[in-house]
Every structure is written in structure tokens, then in C-alpha cells.
Amino acid sequence: MQRSLKGLAASVVMLSVLAPHASAEQVPGETQEMARADSTTMEETVVLGRLQSAAQSLLQDRIEDDALVDSLDSETISRMGDSTVAASLRRVSGLTLVGEKFVYVRGLGERYSSTSLNGAFIPSPDLTRNVIPLDVFPSSIVSALSVQKTFAPDISANYAGGAVDISTTPFPDQGLNFSAEIGGGWNSEADNLNSYAGGSDDKWGTDDGTRQLPSQILQGLQAYQGSIGVQSILAGLNRTAGGGSAAEAVAINNGYALALNRDMALTSASSTPDFDSRFTLGNTYDLAEGLEGGVQLSGAYATKWRNKERYQAIFSIPDEQFENESQTTYSVDMTATATLGLRYMDEHELTVASLLLRNSDDEVAISDFHNENRQVSSGLGFRSYRMEFEQREMLVNQINGEHLLGFNTKALLRGWFDWVPSDAQLKWFYSDASASSDIPNRVNMAFDTVVNPLTAVVQSETLKRDSSAVDYRFTALEDAVESYGWKAEIPFAQGRNELNIKFGYQHDRKLRNYAQREFGLGSVSAPDAALNGGIAAVLSDTNIATLANGFRVQEQGSGSRSYLAATMVDASYGMLDWTYDDSWRITAGARYEDYRQVALPWNVFGYTVDQPQLPTDSATLSAAAFANDDYFPSVALVYMSDWLAETFQLRLSISETAIRPDLREVTDASYQDPVTNELVNGNPDVVPSSVENIDLRAEWFFANGNNLTISLFNKKIADPIEYFESPASDTNTARTIVNAAQTKIQGVEIDGVLALGFIGGWAERYFVQGNATFQDTETVAGANADSPTNNVRPATGASDYVVNMMLGFDSMDGRHAANVLYNVFGERLYVAGRLGAPDGYEQPFHSLDLNYSFYPTDNWTVKLKVQNLLDETVEIERAGVVTFAENPGMAVALKVKYDF
């Protein structure tokens, strides 16, 4: 906690800088605006302080919140230049971004956070996790982002770090509006690109069927009872009246091999600039007296090329056993939204919205590596070629209603509800959403290589003499989620007392099916000439069709890699929100959640009674089901005054929450992670984690717009759910999900905005916004972990510190705005070692970005963004040895926007 105490001391110094200026009757910026009020540039005062006012509003929103919430609005996100929700959230105090898609809150992994869209539960297109990868949401569709760090009964109790809610465009009430934006970009790593012949629809982020599993193979699996191997085909032929021969079975199998997509020859791709375009169009209409309607449409399309150079090594002998990978990715992102709204008497609102997201990545990777069987000094090595096309898609349809029992409504009802207090509210929603992740073909080709033992440069390559040298994997995931609920609030006021009674209900149901089929193509008897000559020659029709070469195709792995799963949650809550004399506020309540889950292994190769697709024995079915219900209390105390500032708030929050295991983690089955290729073992003995949360936050809101927030937090997690390495054969890596003994987290967060006008007149248009988190974490592995090197270690993904700083500038005439953003995190645990192997830590990454906006007229905007100015590299070290390195490159983007 030394860092935490130092951070607290630093915040006291900051308060002393802020406070003297809080009492000023008029700040410099206000004086200048009044002086120009009678000039012809009156409209300029509207845009003055574009960036500064947006930054200050982030903290001002906290005044009304009944929980500890950090927010980002659309204006701030736009100014910061972040293109995805994931990238934007790393600007929030205590949050770090992992893998460019998952957010860690206060050192807790992605499983300890939750994500909702307009308050509704939504599905995940991620193949390996139940949580949602936040890089699938473009920041352009967001009206606000909020991260609730303390639990309140009106949100799900299944989180411990933070509850992220993404709010999309609300009721369109800005009259006729239109905007169009087009941009381009460049990345320093977008060179030395590789590609291959794909499909005609790749530019739209979808496969045209070129990569799909051939229908002949699906028909063969059905005809030969789940196996297309030569012996299975022969057995199937012999079950028919005429029988069959081995030669006939070989010919049929060869036909299946020829049906696979083998047009995989590598080509060099030209480096084209990033492309980004989007538009919005909307209007509002007066439909009748007191009734208005609105419509808002938007669409976006973006493409980019990237090349990543990755390095991995074994920490003990990195010069002998290592891997160098070059990966080219062509990405397509498409977004479409439609919002319809009705508003009646400013007291009733109905919004219907649809959102379609599509993200696709087409990857080509070349990996040269050496292991204990072929160290580099031997002059021998391995090479793998990987081609993978992944399409992620999400469709969300939502209906939201808000109703206020105000003066107009009571008059319309003619006394029917006069007994209900005025300003009573009812909010309800219904959400139907689906998400899919489709990998129509992931091809991995294994070659043996001869290398220069001094430089490791490949001199020749030969297709591995193996029956599965070319691995074809076809994967499809589909999630369907139905979510609905309502929230009611009834206010009472008497004298200096204000009381709000809040209660509600929510139902969430999720269905998932995950299918993975894998086939191996290769030969164990081919002559050398048939295995040489590169991809195009080895996989040519002539080479495969020559029966003497011995190429065969056979399904791989077990059917248990696929599964069917479902979850259902029914929740209800009640809470009291009492305010006394505008000085004290107490919020207390509880939430009841009834959680049910089932996950069944699905044998996609099961076509017989002996091998059914789904288990039928009672023991397996019983173990597949999981249920848990509990009450989750919460209490918050707020003190409000003008101590040292125009508004001062001191908040204390105490609550209990839970973390439940993921969809298939409670099944007694093993599966291969489609991303890392690690063997993952489920564990039916895993139980939910219980979490105790204590937060104390002090907030100062000064008259000149400056803000300062200091937060202390403490979390205790019993039975935290963690992955630990487990024994595996040969050179494979395996992980098992277990309950560790406990995790403890404590720390301090500092957040604020400071206008720099006090320095001098030249600094009046500058401001600093920043936050810092200092924390100490500890995880005790306990008896369930298998031989961890360190039984006590930091929490996975946790950093001792996280710092975000922004220096902002707003020109006097409102035509220019700029900011420099800096983000850094302390080293964080990436992987825990086993059997004496050291833990692996991701090293600090110093991110420095620059954003500049030019407003030549009221309708035109030009934006320039430069990211990773320091050209930092992502590195992981074990015992001081770099075992992983990747350079994301420096990126530059230029956009032009017209709107009215």
C-alpha cells in the first residue's frame, strides 16, 4: 500500500492547487466570453471550450448518481480519437485494456466485469468467453459509456470489478440532421503483407461459401456414421448389399480430400491505406398536439490491413527454442443502426432501435519455430502456415419505454391516479439479440524446415509426413439472448426529507450452440517429391489425386469439443433512497437472483446409438446442470456540503456480489481453445465466487469547473475462479478451471480536471485531465491449484499502478482543439508458472497519442489522430527473459466530416 499512500498524499497537494481558485467569483474564461458578447462572433462562445467542457462534464455527472459511476460521453470519446469502446474505456480510472478487447477493472480479469447495452443483457460473439469483447463496438454508435464500480440492487450482481453499460443514440430530438465522414489512415506495421485467394465477398466481411465445409463431406459423415476415414468408408460399403473394395473406399476418401478448399498459395498484398466512412441522417416531426416523433439512421464501413511480427521463447533457453511469427490481417467493420421514437407531452417516451455489427478478420500467418525436438543449433526446425477467416456479427433489436406521472399525465387521466405521488416513473425494456462467430475454415499446414543454425533463416521446407499435416477446422458459434424487465420509482417529499422507493424485475435468457469439426489431410507414405515445392504444388489437384502419393482425409479430435448451453436469470430488487436536508443521502436495498445453467457436450460426429450426439445417462445430465440463487445487499451513505468547493460529496458504499462460472466451465469435459490451441479442462466442482466490496469516495466540484475525486477501495473475493496450468503430454499446454483460495485488492484512485488559466493568460485555453490508480493485489492459489510455483502472487492482469493523463487545448475562436493523451500501466501478471517455472509478466506499455480537430466552419470538421507515438512494443518477461514481443506499430488517421 506504499504506492496507495503516496497517491493519497499527491491528491492532497492537488487539492491545495485547485481550492484557491474555486472561490473566484468569475473565472478568466467567463470574463472573456462576456467581453465578446456584444461582438459579431457571438456564436463562437457556443463552441469555446469544446474539449474542456466535455472533460469537466464527465465528473459533473457523478453528482446525481446514487452509486460510484465513471462516465464518458460521445463528445469526449470523439475528442479522444478512440475508434472502439474498448479503447475508450482505458481512459477511465482503474481500467486497463488487455488484448485490445477486454477491460480489466481494478486488477480483476474480464470475467469479473459485465457488459450491457442500454441496460439489457446481450450475447457474446467470442469463441472462448462468455464476456463480450468490447472491440466489436465502434465508438461512433455510442452516446455514453458508464462504468459502475459499486453494486446497486438495480443492476446485475454478477460482477466484482465494474459493470459497463453502453448507451446508444437515444430518442432523436435534434430536428433535421445529417452528417457524412470519410477518412484514411496508415500504420507503420502495414507492410510485408501476405494474402491468398479468398472469396468474392471478402470486402463485405463475409465468406461467399469458398471456405465452407463441403457438402460432400457432410453427406459422407452421415452415410458412414460419423467418420470418413478409409476403414469407416469400407465398413459402410460392406453394410450395403453389394459390398465394396478397399480401392473403392480409397477413391471415395480421395474425393473428399479434393473437395476441400486447397487454393492456399501465398501472394504478396499491396499496402493500401486504412479506409473509414460513416453517415447519419435523422429528423423529428410534430405529429399532433403534444406528440412528436423522430427517426435516426446511421451506417459505417471501414477496412484496414495490418502486419504483426511476434516473438515467443522458452525462458530457460531462449536462443535455442523460440518462435517468430509474421501475421497479416485484413479487417472489415460494418455498422448499421436505426432508431424510431415517440414522445408525448414530454412525459412519455417510446424508442425502438436496431443495431447490426459485423467485424471480420482474414488472417495469414507464417510461423518459424524451434522446440526441444529441433533446436536451432541442429539446423532443423518447423514452419506452419495458417489461414483463418473469422466473421463476428451481432444483431440487437430493442424497445424501451419511459413514463413519468407528471402534471400533464394526471390531467389527462382526470384524477384516476391522483393518489400516486407526482413524478413517479416507470421504465421498461425488451431486447432480442443474437450473436455469431463463424470461422468457415481455419487451415494450418505443418512443414519441416532446414535452417541456417547461426541465423535461423529457412533454407528449405517439406510438408510434414503426417496424416494430419494439413489441419482443417470449421467452427461456428451462435448465441441468442432474450432480456426484458422494468424499473419503477415512487418519490415522496415532506419538509427537508425526500424519499424514493425503487423496485423492479429483470429476466435474462441465453442459448448457445458451439460446433467445431476438424479434419486432417496428409500422407505418411508419399515420396519426397510429393511433399516438396511449396503450398501450391503440394496441395495441387494433381498431387492430391495421385493415389500413389497416399493423401487421405480423416476427422480429428472428439465430438466433445462442441457443446450446447443455456443460462437463465430471474432477478427482482427493492431499494430505498432517502435524502435529508440536501446534506445526507442513504441508499439501501437488496437484489434476489435465481440463476440456472446447463451445458452439454455435443458429439457432432455421433451418428449411432453407441455414439449419440447428446448424452443420455442420468449422471452426465445431472452434472451438466448448475443452479444458484442468493440475495445481494447494498448500502450507500453520501454526505454533501460545500467544504472546500462549491459542491463536496463523500460516499461510502458496502455491498456483496458474486461471480459465476462460465458456460462450459462446470462440465466434466475437455476441449481445445480455438485461439490458443491449449487444452482446457472443465471442472464440475467449481462454485461461484463471493465478493465483499467496500468503497469510499470524496469528490470536490469547484465553481470554475475543476474537479477532484479520491477513491479508496477494498475487495475480498472468496473462491475466485481462475485458470491454472495442469499436466499435459509432450509439448502441449493445458489449463484447468479451479477455485483459488482467495483474492484481496486494495487501492486508491485519483481523478480530476484542472484548468490552467491560473498559470497566466497564455494558459487560459489549456487544461489537464487525468486519473491514476495505485493498488495492491494478492491471490492465494490454495489446494485446488496443481503445483503452482508461487502459492501467493498478484491477481492475474493486475497492475500496481495505472496512469491516464490528457493535456487539452481549446483555441480562443473555437476553431481548433487538440489533446495529448498518455496511458501507462505497471507490470501485470500474464501467466502463473508451474513446477518451478517463473511467472510471466507483461511489461509497462507507454501509450502516447495525439488528436487535433479543426473546425473551419460550423459544418465542417477535420480530425487528425496519431497513436503510439513512442512506437512501443508489447513484451512479456519470465525471470527477466523476454518470452513474447509484438509491435502494434504507430498509426496515423485523417478524417473529414460534414454535418448540419
Side-chain angles (χ1 to χ4, degrees):
M1 288 295 293
Q2 269 190 321
R3 289 187 178 90
S4 301
L5 294 174
K6 291 178 180 177
L8 188 59
S11 65
V12 173
V13 175
M14 185 181 297
L15 180 62
S16 67
V17 174
L18 291 165
H21 304 278
S23 60
E25 293 184 2
Q26 195 168 38
V27 297
E30 293 174 345
T31 303
Q32 292 162 359
E33 289 190 8
M34 292 179 62
R36 295 198 313 276
D38 57 350
S39 71
T40 59
T41 59
M42 181 64 182
E43 64 180 13
E44 291 182 2
T45 63
V46 178
V47 294
L48 276 175
R50 296 174 184 266
L51 238 169
Q52 183 174 341
S53 61
Q56 292 169 339
S57 69
L58 297 181
L59 300 183
Q60 293 287 355
D61 289 342
R62 293 176 176 170
I63 296 179
E64 300 299 328
D65 291 328
D66 57 5
L68 269 62
V69 180
D70 293 330
S71 301
L72 297 174
D73 61 11
S74 58
E75 180 74 7
T76 303
I77 294 171
S78 174
R79 305 298 176 183
M80 290 179 175
D82 296 316
S83 58
T84 68
V85 166
S88 300
L89 286 173
R90 67 191 173 115
R91 313 297 182 186
V92 177
S93 61
L95 273 66
T96 55
L97 187 61
V98 177
E100 300 181 352
K101 61 177 66 176
F102 296 110
V103 171
Y104 280 41
V105 181
R106 291 174 170 174
L108 291 171
E110 71 274 5
R111 73 160 62 245
Y112 292 96
S113 298
S114 64
T115 302
S116 57
L117 182 68
N118 299 316
F121 180 51
I122 53 176
S124 170
D126 190 84
L127 291 170
T128 59
R129 297 170 174 86
N130 196 29
V131 296
I132 300 168
L134 294 174
D135 63 332
V136 304
F137 294 98
S139 57
S140 59
I141 70 167
V142 176
S143 65
L145 290 174
S146 66
V147 182
Q148 187 164 325
K149 295 178 180 177
T150 60
F151 170 67
D154 58 347
I155 65 172
S156 171
N158 187 36
Y159 83 97
V164 179
D165 185 62
I166 303 168
S167 299
T168 56
T169 304
F171 179 86
D173 59 355
Q174 51 187 340
L176 179 63
N177 65 91
F178 170 79
S179 71
E181 182 177 270
I182 189 169
W186 167 87
N187 185 281
S188 61
E189 295 299 305
D191 55 6
N192 300 319
L193 304 175
N194 294 306
S195 186
Y196 67 102
S200 59
D201 293 335
D202 288 1
K203 60 182 176 294
W204 302 114
T206 186
D207 180 59
D208 63 358
T210 299
R211 305 174 179 87
Q212 294 286 352
L213 178 61
S215 58
Q216 300 98 305
I217 293 181
L218 286 172
Q219 293 167 3
L221 290 170
Q222 185 171 1
Y224 303 113
Q225 298 184 348
S227 175
I228 57 171
V230 172
Q231 294 303 316
S232 297
I233 294 174
L234 181 59
L237 293 175
N238 289 330
R239 284 192 296 269
T240 63
S245 65
E248 187 178 357
V250 169
I252 293 173
N253 179 272
N254 190 255
Y256 295 144
L258 290 170
L260 290 166
N261 177 33
R262 290 164 288 104
D263 192 1
M264 300 291 177
L266 293 188
T267 59
S268 296
S270 59
S271 178
T272 57
D274 299 348
F275 175 77
D276 191 349
S277 63
R278 64 189 72 249
F279 82 92
T280 63
L281 175 64
N283 199 2
T284 54
Y285 307 89
D286 291 324
L287 303 176
E289 184 178 355
L291 178 65
E292 58 180 328
V295 59
Q296 192 77 26
L297 305 174
S298 73
Y301 174 80
T303 64
K304 64 181 180 182
W305 286 91
R306 290 292 183 269
N307 188 71
K308 291 184 178 180
E309 302 291 336
R310 291 194 180 107
Y311 164 81
Q312 298 185 73
I314 301 299
F315 75 93
S316 56
I317 42 175
D319 295 332
E320 286 283 0
Q321 298 181 32
F322 58 88
E323 176 181 7
N324 287 310
E325 180 181 85
S326 177
Q327 176 183 297
T328 298
T329 304
Y330 174 67
S331 300
V332 176
D333 297 323
M334 299 179 66
T335 306
T337 68
T339 304
L340 300 173
L342 290 173
R343 180 182 291 130
Y344 184 55
M345 299 188 302
D346 289 328
E347 294 179 353
H348 303 274
E349 192 170 297
L350 178 67
T351 303
V352 180
S354 292
L355 167 66
L356 173 65
L357 302 175
R358 177 184 293 171
N359 313 96
S360 71
D361 293 324
D362 194 6
E363 296 180 356
V364 178
I366 306 174
S367 175
D368 294 312
F369 61 96
H370 303 269
N371 59 25
E372 65 272 24
N373 298 319
R374 288 192 166 198
Q375 296 185 346
V376 68
S377 60
S378 69
L380 301 175
F382 302 96
R383 167 172 285 183
S384 82
Y385 294 93
R386 187 182 76 251
M387 289 79 172
E388 179 175 342
F389 182 94
E390 181 175 3
Q391 176 185 332
R392 296 172 297 275
E393 193 164 292
M394 180 182 294
L395 175 63
V396 183
N397 296 304
Q398 294 185 335
I399 304 176
N400 292 273
E402 297 186 13
H403 308 278
L404 177 68
L405 191 61
F407 174 81
N408 294 325
T409 301
K410 282 196 171 185
L412 182 67
L413 296 175
R414 299 179 180 179
W416 281 86
F417 287 90
D418 284 350
W419 57 274
V420 180
S422 296
D423 296 331
Q425 297 183 43
L426 174 66
K427 297 181 180 180
W428 58 270
F429 73 91
Y430 178 83
S431 176
D432 182 78
S434 62
S436 63
S437 185
D438 188 21
I439 304 179
N441 198 353
R442 181 184 191 271
V443 182
N444 193 84
M445 294 168 280
F447 285 76
D448 293 328
T449 59
V450 176
V451 304
N452 183 316
L454 298 179
T455 64
V457 174
V458 174
Q459 298 174 335
S460 65
E461 62 180 21
T462 303
L463 184 69
K464 200 173 188 66
R465 199 179 297 275
D466 190 282
S467 60
S468 58
V470 184
D471 183 81
Y472 288 82
R473 186 183 301 169
F474 305 87
T475 304
L477 175 144
E478 293 183 6
D479 271 5
V481 169
E482 182 184 49
S483 179
Y484 56 85
W486 54 268
K487 298 180 179 181
E489 180 177 338
I490 303 176
F492 298 89
Q494 184 175 8
R496 293 185 292 178
N497 294 280
E498 296 179 10
L499 177 66
N500 281 346
I501 300 176
K502 303 177 182 180
F503 51 97
Y505 169 81
Q506 183 164 336
H507 171 86
D508 300 321
R509 182 180 65 184
K510 177 177 181 177
L511 306 176
R512 166 174 285 194
N513 70 71
Y514 175 87
Q516 179 179 304
R517 296 175 175 87
E518 189 171 359
F519 302 87
L521 172 65
S523 173
V524 296
S525 59
D528 291 343
L531 303 177
N532 295 324
I535 297 174
V538 171
L539 296 183
S540 65
D541 287 351
T542 301
N543 207 40
I544 300 298
T546 302
L547 297 181
N549 289 338
F551 282 94
R552 305 286 185 268
V553 62
Q554 172 77 48
E555 68 280 353
Q556 300 289 317
S558 64
S560 63
R561 294 180 180 179
S562 304
Y563 66 96
L564 303 174
T567 63
M568 184 180 293
V569 181
D570 286 291
S572 56
Y573 74 90
M575 53 192 297
L576 298 176
D577 186 354
W578 173 47
T579 302
Y580 174 72
D581 198 28
D582 290 329
S583 298
W584 293 93
R585 183 180 181 183
I586 298 177
T587 304
R591 184 182 184 91
Y592 171 76
E593 291 190 350
D594 184 11
Y595 177 82
R596 288 140 288 169
Q597 172 181 306
V598 63
L600 288 170
W602 174 22
N603 183 4
V604 293
F605 297 135
Y607 287 86
T608 66
V609 175
D610 294 334
Q611 289 189 344
Q613 291 204 352
L614 295 175
T616 57
D617 63 286
S618 58
T620 301
L621 293 174
S622 176
F626 174 81
N628 173 258
D629 69 296
D630 207 345
Y631 289 91
F632 302 95
S634 169
V635 61
L637 174 64
V638 181
Y639 170 70
M640 297 166 283
S641 74
D642 58 357
W643 181 57
L644 299 179
E646 184 178 55
T647 303
F648 167 75
Q649 290 191 147
L650 182 66
R651 300 171 178 262
L652 173 65
S653 298
I654 303 174
S655 63
E656 294 182 4
T657 55
I659 297 297
R660 304 183 183 101
D662 209 342
L663 280 172
R664 67 177 308 177
E665 292 174 345
V666 294
T667 62
D668 190 12
S670 299
Y671 63 97
Q672 192 173 33
D673 189 301
V675 177
T676 65
N677 283 325
E678 294 177 331
L679 183 67
V680 181
N681 301 308
N683 183 358
D685 296 325
V686 170
V687 298
S689 307
S690 58
V691 187
E692 297 178 0
N693 311 279
I694 302 176
D695 293 81
L696 179 65
R697 170 178 282 186
E699 301 166 296
W700 291 267
F701 302 91
F702 300 98
N704 58 4
N706 291 339
N707 300 273
L708 176 63
T709 300
I710 304 173
S711 303
L712 301 175
F713 58 90
N714 183 285
K715 294 181 181 291
K716 294 182 180 180
I717 305 176
D719 302 314
I721 302 172
E722 299 280 348
Y723 278 109
F724 286 88
E725 285 192 30
S726 55
S729 60
D730 299 329
T731 58
N732 294 333
T733 302
R735 296 183 299 159
T736 300
I737 190 76
V738 300
N739 287 113
Q742 66 176 4
T743 292
K744 295 180 180 179
I745 300 175
Q746 52 189 354
V748 59
E749 293 174 346
I750 308 167
D751 199 333
V753 176
L754 174 64
L756 299 181
F758 68 91
I759 297 177
W762 63 270
E764 289 176 358
R765 309 316 300 164
Y766 291 87
F767 71 96
V768 174
Q769 178 188 6
N771 57 70
T773 301
F774 305 90
Q775 64 185 12
D776 180 59
T777 70
E778 178 185 278
T779 293
V780 180
N784 293 329
D786 186 76
S787 305
T789 299
N790 297 306
N791 189 55
V792 180
R793 57 169 175 78
T796 303
S799 302
D800 288 343
Y801 63 88
V802 181
V803 176
N804 286 289
M805 295 296 296
M806 177 173 71
L807 173 64
F809 166 78
D810 295 313
S811 68
M812 296 294 293
D813 61 3
R815 297 300 185 191
H816 305 272
N819 61 67
V820 178
L821 300 120
Y822 174 73
N823 170 270
V824 66
F825 56 83
E827 69 171 19
R828 56 192 183 196
L829 182 67
Y830 180 80
V831 59
R834 178 176 175 270
L835 293 174
D839 297 336
Y841 285 87
E842 184 176 355
Q843 299 305 295
F845 186 95
H846 298 267
S847 173
L848 185 64
D849 302 337
L850 171 67
N851 296 284
Y852 167 72
S853 296
F854 173 48
Y855 308 91
T857 71
D858 291 340
N859 303 111
W860 288 92
T861 305
V862 180
K863 295 181 180 180
L864 174 67
K865 175 176 66 176
V866 184
Q867 293 181 304
N868 195 20
L869 276 164
L870 302 178
D871 199 22
E872 284 280 277
T873 298
V874 177
E875 290 187 348
I876 297 173
E877 292 186 1
R878 301 185 79 159
V881 177
V882 176
T883 58
F884 177 91
E886 176 182 289
N887 186 358
M890 183 174 67
V892 179
L894 180 66
K895 297 180 180 180
V896 179
K897 179 181 179 181
Y898 173 79
D899 63 351
F900 65 81

